Amino acid sequence: MDINDLRSAVTVLSLLTFLGIVFWAWSGRRQSSFDEAAQLPFQDEQPSTSTREPS
């Protein structure tokens, strides 16, 4: 086994890891968790009592 075989194996392993992460992220079971996480930045905001922009 030379260095080129090792490089090929690492490339294939990296591709499989990437594809595994993509399939995990786009799976339907994760949708509700991601929707909840997407709303986290907005949970701490206080509702504004004034709709007028400051001048």
Side-chain angles (χ1 to χ4, degrees):
M1 183 197 267
D2 63 348
I3 192 71
N4 290 327
D5 293 336
L6 181 62
R7 288 177 180 163
S8 297
V10 169
T11 300
V12 169
L13 183 63
S14 298
L15 176 64
L16 292 176
T17 301
F18 173 77
L19 291 175
I21 291 170
V22 168
F23 287 129
W24 171 78
W26 285 95
S27 70
R29 293 181 297 165
R30 303 291 306 163
Q31 184 68 35
S32 62
S33 298
F34 289 145
D35 288 342
E36 182 180 331
Q39 294 301 317
L40 285 175
F42 305 112
Q43 288 181 354
D44 291 337
E45 289 185 6
Q46 298 292 330
S48 178
T49 57
S50 172
T51 59
R52 198 174 118 201
E53 292 185 16
S55 50

Coordinates of all heavy atoms in Angstrom, one line a residue:
M1 N 0.9 -1.2 0.0 CA 0.0 0.0 0.0 C 0.9 1.2 0.0 O 1.7 1.4 0.9 CB -0.9 0.0 1.2 CG -1.8 1.2 1.2 SD -2.6 1.6 2.7 CE -4.1 0.9 2.9
D2 N 0.7 2.1 -1.0 CA 1.5 3.3 -1.0 C 0.6 4.5 -0.6 O -0.5 4.3 -0.3 CB 2.1 3.5 -2.4 CG 1.1 3.7 -3.5 OD1 -0.1 3.4 -3.3 OD2 1.5 4.0 -4.7
I3 N 1.2 5.7 -0.7 CA 0.5 6.9 -0.2 C -0.7 7.2 -1.1 O -1.7 7.7 -0.5 CB 1.5 8.1 -0.2 CG1 0.9 9.3 0.5 CG2 1.9 8.5 -1.7 CD1 0.8 9.1 2.0
N4 N -0.7 6.8 -2.3 CA -1.9 7.1 -3.2 C -3.1 6.3 -2.8 O -4.3 6.7 -2.8 CB -1.6 6.9 -4.6 CG -0.6 8.0 -5.2 OD1 -0.7 9.1 -4.7 ND2 0.2 7.6 -6.1
D5 N -2.9 5.0 -2.3 CA -4.0 4.2 -1.8 C -4.6 4.8 -0.5 O -5.8 4.8 -0.3 CB -3.5 2.8 -1.5 CG -3.1 2.0 -2.8 OD1 -3.6 2.4 -3.9 OD2 -2.3 1.1 -2.7
L6 N -3.7 5.3 0.3 CA -4.2 6.0 1.5 C -5.0 7.2 1.2 O -6.0 7.5 1.8 CB -3.0 6.3 2.4 CG -3.3 7.0 3.8 CD1 -4.1 6.1 4.6 CD2 -2.0 7.4 4.5
R7 N -4.5 8.0 0.3 CA -5.2 9.2 -0.1 C -6.6 8.9 -0.7 O -7.6 9.5 -0.4 CB -4.4 10.0 -1.2 CG -3.2 10.7 -0.6 CD -2.4 11.3 -1.7 NE -1.2 12.0 -1.1 CZ -0.2 12.4 -1.8 NH1 -0.2 12.2 -3.1 NH2 0.8 13.0 -1.2
S8 N -6.7 7.8 -1.5 CA -7.9 7.4 -2.0 C -8.9 6.9 -0.9 O -10.1 7.3 -1.0 CB -7.7 6.2 -3.0 OG -7.0 6.7 -4.1
A9 N -8.4 6.2 0.0 CA -9.2 5.7 1.1 C -9.8 6.9 1.9 O -10.9 6.9 2.3 CB -8.4 4.7 2.0
V10 N -8.9 7.9 2.2 CA -9.3 9.0 3.0 C -10.4 9.8 2.2 O -11.4 10.3 2.8 CB -8.1 9.9 3.4 CG1 -8.6 11.2 3.9 CG2 -7.3 9.2 4.4
T11 N -10.2 10.0 0.9 CA -11.2 10.7 0.1 C -12.5 10.0 0.1 O -13.6 10.6 0.3 CB -10.7 10.8 -1.4 OG1 -9.4 11.5 -1.4 CG2 -11.7 11.5 -2.2
V12 N -12.6 8.7 -0.1 CA -13.8 7.9 0.0 C -14.5 8.0 1.3 O -15.7 8.2 1.4 CB -13.6 6.5 -0.5 CG1 -14.8 5.6 -0.2 CG2 -13.2 6.4 -1.9
L13 N -13.7 7.9 2.4 CA -14.2 8.0 3.7 C -14.8 9.4 4.0 O -15.9 9.5 4.6 CB -13.1 7.7 4.8 CG -13.6 7.7 6.2 CD1 -14.6 6.6 6.5 CD2 -12.3 7.5 7.1
S14 N -14.1 10.4 3.5 CA -14.6 11.8 3.7 C -15.9 12.0 2.9 O -16.9 12.6 3.4 CB -13.6 12.8 3.2 OG -12.4 12.7 4.0
L15 N -16.0 11.5 1.7 CA -17.3 11.6 1.0 C -18.4 10.9 1.6 O -19.5 11.4 1.7 CB -17.1 11.0 -0.5 CG -18.3 11.0 -1.3 CD1 -18.8 12.4 -1.6 CD2 -18.0 10.3 -2.6
L16 N -18.2 9.7 2.2 CA -19.2 8.9 2.8 C -19.7 9.6 4.1 O -20.9 9.7 4.5 CB -18.7 7.5 3.2 CG -18.6 6.6 1.9 CD1 -18.0 5.3 2.4 CD2 -19.9 6.4 1.2
T17 N -18.7 10.2 4.8 CA -19.1 11.0 6.0 C -19.9 12.2 5.7 O -20.9 12.5 6.3 CB -17.8 11.4 6.8 OG1 -17.0 10.3 7.1 CG2 -18.1 12.2 8.0
F18 N -19.5 12.9 4.7 CA -20.3 14.1 4.2 C -21.7 13.7 3.8 O -22.7 14.3 4.2 CB -19.6 14.8 3.0 CG -20.4 15.9 2.4 CD1 -20.5 17.1 3.0 CD2 -21.0 15.7 1.2 CE1 -21.2 18.1 2.5 CE2 -21.8 16.7 0.6 CZ -21.8 17.9 1.3
L19 N -21.8 12.6 3.0 CA -23.2 12.2 2.6 C -24.0 11.7 3.8 O -25.2 12.0 3.8 CB -23.0 11.1 1.5 CG -22.5 11.5 0.2 CD1 -22.3 10.3 -0.7 CD2 -23.4 12.5 -0.5
G20 N -23.4 11.1 4.7 CA -24.1 10.7 5.9 C -24.6 11.9 6.7 O -25.8 11.9 7.2
I21 N -23.8 12.9 6.8 CA -24.3 14.2 7.5 C -25.4 14.8 6.7 O -26.4 15.3 7.3 CB -23.1 15.1 7.7 CG1 -22.1 14.5 8.7 CG2 -23.6 16.5 8.2 CD1 -20.8 15.3 8.9
V22 N -25.3 14.9 5.4 CA -26.4 15.5 4.6 C -27.7 14.7 4.8 O -28.7 15.3 5.0 CB -26.0 15.5 3.1 CG1 -27.1 15.9 2.2 CG2 -24.8 16.5 2.9
F23 N -27.6 13.4 4.7 CA -28.9 12.6 4.8 C -29.4 12.7 6.2 O -30.6 12.8 6.4 CB -28.6 11.1 4.5 CG -28.4 10.8 3.1 CD1 -27.3 10.1 2.6 CD2 -29.4 11.3 2.1 CE1 -27.2 9.9 1.3 CE2 -29.2 11.1 0.8 CZ -28.1 10.3 0.3
W24 N -28.6 12.8 7.3 CA -29.1 13.0 8.6 C -29.7 14.3 8.8 O -30.8 14.5 9.4 CB -27.9 12.9 9.6 CG -28.2 13.3 11.0 CD1 -28.9 12.5 11.9 CD2 -27.9 14.5 11.6 NE1 -29.0 13.2 13.1 CE2 -28.5 14.5 12.9 CE3 -27.3 15.7 11.2 CZ2 -28.4 15.5 13.8 CZ3 -27.2 16.8 12.1 CH2 -27.7 16.7 13.4
A25 N -29.1 15.4 8.2 CA -29.7 16.7 8.4 C -31.0 16.9 7.6 O -31.9 17.6 8.1 CB -28.7 17.8 7.9
W26 N -31.2 16.2 6.5 CA -32.4 16.4 5.7 C -33.5 15.3 6.0 O -34.5 15.3 5.3 CB -32.1 16.3 4.2 CG -31.4 17.6 3.8 CD1 -30.1 17.9 3.7 CD2 -32.1 18.8 3.4 NE1 -29.9 19.2 3.3 CE2 -31.2 19.8 3.1 CE3 -33.5 19.2 3.3 CZ2 -31.5 21.0 2.7 CZ3 -33.8 20.4 2.9 CH2 -32.8 21.4 2.6
S27 N -33.2 14.5 7.0 CA -34.2 13.4 7.3 C -35.4 14.1 8.0 O -35.4 15.1 8.6 CB -33.6 12.4 8.3 OG -33.4 12.9 9.5
G28 N -36.6 13.5 7.7 CA -37.8 14.0 8.2 C -38.0 14.0 9.7 O -38.6 14.8 10.3
R29 N -37.3 13.0 10.3 CA -37.4 12.9 11.8 C -36.7 14.1 12.5 O -37.1 14.4 13.6 CB -36.7 11.6 12.3 CG -37.4 10.4 11.8 CD -36.7 9.2 12.3 NE -35.3 9.1 11.8 CZ -34.3 8.4 12.2 NH1 -34.5 7.6 13.2 NH2 -33.2 8.4 11.6
R30 N -35.8 14.8 11.9 CA -35.1 15.9 12.5 C -35.7 17.2 12.2 O -35.3 18.2 12.8 CB -33.6 16.0 11.9 CG -32.8 14.7 12.1 CD -32.5 14.5 13.5 NE -31.8 15.6 14.1 CZ -31.6 15.8 15.4 NH1 -32.1 15.0 16.2 NH2 -31.1 16.9 15.8
Q31 N -36.8 17.3 11.4 CA -37.4 18.5 11.0 C -37.9 19.3 12.2 O -37.7 20.5 12.3 CB -38.5 18.3 10.0 CG -39.2 19.5 9.5 CD -38.3 20.3 8.6 OE1 -37.5 19.7 7.9 NE2 -38.4 21.6 8.6
S32 N -38.6 18.7 13.1 CA -39.2 19.4 14.3 C -38.1 20.0 15.2 O -38.2 21.1 15.7 CB -40.1 18.5 15.0 OG -39.4 17.4 15.6
S33 N -37.0 19.2 15.3 CA -35.9 19.7 16.2 C -35.2 20.9 15.5 O -34.9 21.9 16.2 CB -34.8 18.6 16.4 OG -35.4 17.5 17.0
F34 N -35.0 20.9 14.2 CA -34.4 22.0 13.5 C -35.3 23.2 13.5 O -34.8 24.4 13.6 CB -34.0 21.6 12.1 CG -32.8 20.7 12.1 CD1 -32.8 19.7 11.1 CD2 -31.8 20.8 13.0 CE1 -31.7 18.8 11.0 CE2 -30.7 19.9 12.9 CZ -30.7 18.9 11.9
D35 N -36.6 23.0 13.4 CA -37.6 24.2 13.4 C -37.5 24.8 14.8 O -37.5 26.1 14.9 CB -39.0 23.7 13.1 CG -39.2 23.4 11.6 OD1 -38.3 23.8 10.8 OD2 -40.1 22.7 11.3
E36 N -37.5 24.0 15.8 CA -37.4 24.6 17.2 C -36.1 25.3 17.4 O -36.1 26.4 18.0 CB -37.5 23.4 18.2 CG -37.5 23.9 19.6 CD -37.6 22.7 20.6 OE1 -38.2 21.7 20.2 OE2 -37.1 22.8 21.7
A37 N -35.0 24.8 16.9 CA -33.7 25.4 17.1 C -33.6 26.7 16.2 O -32.9 27.7 16.6 CB -32.6 24.5 16.6
A38 N -34.3 26.8 15.1 CA -34.3 28.0 14.3 C -35.0 29.1 15.0 O -34.7 30.3 14.7 CB -35.0 27.7 13.0
Q39 N -35.9 28.9 15.9 CA -36.6 29.9 16.6 C -35.9 30.4 17.9 O -36.3 31.4 18.5 CB -38.0 29.4 17.0 CG -38.9 29.2 15.8 CD -39.1 30.4 14.9 OE1 -39.3 31.5 15.4 NE2 -39.0 30.2 13.6
L40 N -34.8 29.7 18.3 CA -34.1 30.1 19.5 C -33.7 31.6 19.6 O -33.8 32.2 20.6 CB -33.0 29.2 19.8 CG -33.3 27.8 20.3 CD1 -32.1 26.9 20.3 CD2 -34.0 27.8 21.6
P41 N -33.1 32.1 18.5 CA -32.7 33.5 18.6 C -33.8 34.5 18.9 O -33.6 35.6 19.4 CB -32.1 33.8 17.2 CG -31.7 32.5 16.7 CD -32.7 31.5 17.2
F42 N -35.0 34.2 18.5 CA -36.2 35.1 18.7 C -36.9 34.9 20.0 O -37.8 35.7 20.3 CB -37.2 34.9 17.5 CG -36.5 35.0 16.2 CD1 -36.4 33.9 15.4 CD2 -36.0 36.2 15.7 CE1 -35.8 34.0 14.1 CE2 -35.4 36.3 14.5 CZ -35.3 35.2 13.7
Q43 N -36.6 34.0 20.8 CA -37.3 33.7 22.1 C -37.0 34.8 23.1 O -37.8 35.0 24.0 CB -37.0 32.3 22.6 CG -37.6 31.3 21.8 CD -37.4 29.9 22.3 OE1 -36.6 29.7 23.3 NE2 -38.0 28.9 21.7
D44 N -35.8 35.4 23.1 CA -35.5 36.4 24.1 C -35.9 37.8 23.8 O -35.8 38.7 24.6 CB -34.0 36.4 24.4 CG -33.5 35.1 25.0 OD1 -34.3 34.4 25.7 OD2 -32.3 34.7 24.9
E45 N -36.4 38.0 22.6 CA -36.8 39.4 22.2 C -38.0 39.8 23.0 O -39.0 39.1 23.2 CB -37.1 39.5 20.7 CG -35.8 39.3 19.9 CD -36.1 39.6 18.4 OE1 -37.3 39.9 18.1 OE2 -35.2 39.4 17.6
Q46 N -38.0 41.1 23.5 CA -39.1 41.7 24.1 C -40.0 42.3 23.0 O -39.5 43.0 22.1 CB -38.7 42.8 25.1 CG -37.8 42.2 26.2 CD -38.6 41.3 27.2 OE1 -39.8 41.5 27.3 NE2 -37.9 40.4 27.7
P47 N -41.3 42.2 23.1 CA -42.2 42.8 22.1 C -42.1 44.4 22.3 O -42.1 44.9 23.4 CB -43.6 42.3 22.4 CG -43.5 41.6 23.7 CD -42.0 41.4 24.1
S48 N -42.0 45.0 21.2 CA -41.9 46.5 21.2 C -43.2 47.1 21.5 O -44.2 46.7 20.9 CB -41.3 46.9 19.9 OG -41.2 48.3 19.8
T49 N -43.3 48.1 22.3 CA -44.5 48.8 22.6 C -44.7 50.0 21.6 O -45.8 50.5 21.5 CB -44.5 49.4 24.1 OG1 -43.4 50.2 24.2 CG2 -44.4 48.2 25.1
S50 N -43.7 50.3 21.0 CA -43.8 51.4 20.0 C -43.5 50.9 18.6 O -42.6 50.1 18.4 CB -42.8 52.5 20.3 OG -42.7 53.5 19.3
T51 N -44.3 51.3 17.7 CA -44.1 50.9 16.3 C -43.4 51.9 15.5 O -43.0 51.8 14.3 CB -45.4 50.5 15.6 OG1 -46.3 51.7 15.6 CG2 -46.1 49.4 16.3
R52 N -43.2 53.1 16.1 CA -42.5 54.2 15.5 C -41.0 54.0 15.5 O -40.5 53.7 16.6 CB -42.9 55.5 16.1 CG -42.6 56.7 15.3 CD -43.1 58.0 16.0 NE -42.0 58.8 16.3 CZ -41.9 59.8 17.1 NH1 -42.9 60.0 17.9 NH2 -40.9 60.5 17.3
E53 N -40.3 54.3 14.4 CA -38.9 54.2 14.4 C -38.2 55.4 15.0 O -38.8 56.5 14.9 CB -38.4 54.0 13.0 CG -38.8 52.7 12.3 CD -38.1 52.6 10.9 OE1 -37.2 53.4 10.6 OE2 -38.6 51.7 10.2
P54 N -37.1 55.2 15.8 CA -36.5 56.4 16.3 C -35.9 57.3 15.2 O -35.4 56.8 14.2 CB -35.4 55.8 17.2 CG -35.2 54.4 16.8 CD -36.5 54.0 16.1
S55 N -35.9 58.6 15.4 CA -35.4 59.5 14.4 C -34.1 60.0 14.8 O -33.6 59.9 15.8 CB -36.3 60.7 14.2 OG -36.7 61.3 15.4

